[in-house]
Amino acid sequence: MKERTLAILKPDCIEAKVTGKVIDEILAAGFDIIAMKMVKMDAKTAGEFYRVHKDKPFYRDLVAFMSSGRCIPMVLEKENAVEDFRKLIGATDPAEAEEGTIRKKYATSKQNNIVHGSDSPENARLEISFFFSEAELVQNG
Ligand code: ADP
Ligand code: MG
């Protein structure tokens, strides 16, 4: 069964001009891009997206980072998309990420780690609907 996950190319990805390289890796790994847009989140929106982390010590900086520049949210589709995408991006901290993963190759710190990936199918559904309307998904389905 095909599954969908939400990826976000974070502001550091766009700043470093590696969006093309990262998208190539995503496509080469077998994901289809179902929907994609460019957004500049304000702090309120970034804070809302990451609200599960609101009590963590890194939350303030994370919100500032995610609202510091443009992001590219995209809906990816593939068999086992959620788990496979987490494998493709690697551990949160690039220092701990496996060789060959996107974060290992491009991330510069635990915060500035290039890309977001949903961590469960339920969160994928919630996160997809955070950025994309039903109409945008149906029309691209
Ligand atoms: P992941 O993105 O791998 O699912 P988390 O959900 O734990 O990681 O954290 C969300 C984001 O918050 C991370 O991708 C990273 O940008 C940032 N972050 C997480 N932990 C830290 C930390 N200890 N220090 C700084 N930033 C962090
Ligand atoms: Mg997470």
Side-chain angles (χ1 to χ4, degrees), residues 3 11 27 34-35 41 45 58 84 101 103 110 131:
E3 184 176 69
L27 295 173
I34 297 300
M41 287 190 279
T45 308
F58 58 81
D84 286 0
T101 58
R103 283 169 166 170
K110 191 164 185 179
F131 288 106

Side-chain angles (χ1 to χ4, degrees), residues 10 50 53 58 62 86 92 103 110-111 113 116-117:
K10 297 185 179 183
Y50 276 120
H53 295 305
F58 58 81
L62 175 62
R86 295 287 298 198
T92 309
R103 283 169 166 170
K110 191 164 185 179
Q111 176 186 269
N113 61 2
H116 167 84

Side-chain angles (χ1 to χ4, degrees), residues 129-140:
S129 66
F130 189 90
F131 288 106
F132 296 93
S133 69
E134 201 51 47
E136 285 173 304
L137 297 170
V138 167
Q139 124 203 329
N140 292 346

Side-chain angles (χ1 to χ4, degrees), residues 44-115:
K44 185 169 177 284
T45 308
E48 177 68 10
F49 181 76
Y50 276 120
R51 63 193 176 280
V52 300
H53 295 305
K54 68 177 166 29
D55 298 324
K56 306 271 174 59
F58 58 81
Y59 180 71
R60 269 176 92 82
D61 286 348
L62 175 62
V63 168
F65 165 57
M66 290 300 288
S67 57
S68 70
R70 285 164 287 155
C71 286
I72 301 178
M74 53 179 91
V75 180
L76 304 178
E77 189 173 85
K78 183 186 176 296
E79 302 269 323
N80 207 35
V82 171
E83 197 184 325
D84 286 0
F85 191 66
R86 295 287 298 198
K87 276 194 199 129
L88 180 68
I89 67 179
T92 309
D93 186 343
E96 288 161 19
E98 274 187 53
E99 240 13 272
T101 58
I102 290 174
R103 283 169 166 170
K104 181 71 175 188
K105 284 189 212 172
Y106 300 107
T108 54
S109 72
K110 191 164 185 179
Q111 176 186 269
N112 295 24
N113 61 2
I114 295 287
V115 62

Side-chain angles (χ1 to χ4, degrees), residues 113-127:
N113 61 2
I114 295 287
V115 62
H116 167 84
S118 307
D119 65 3
S120 70
E122 304 85 277
N123 282 337
R125 277 188 286 277
L126 290 171
E127 292 176 359

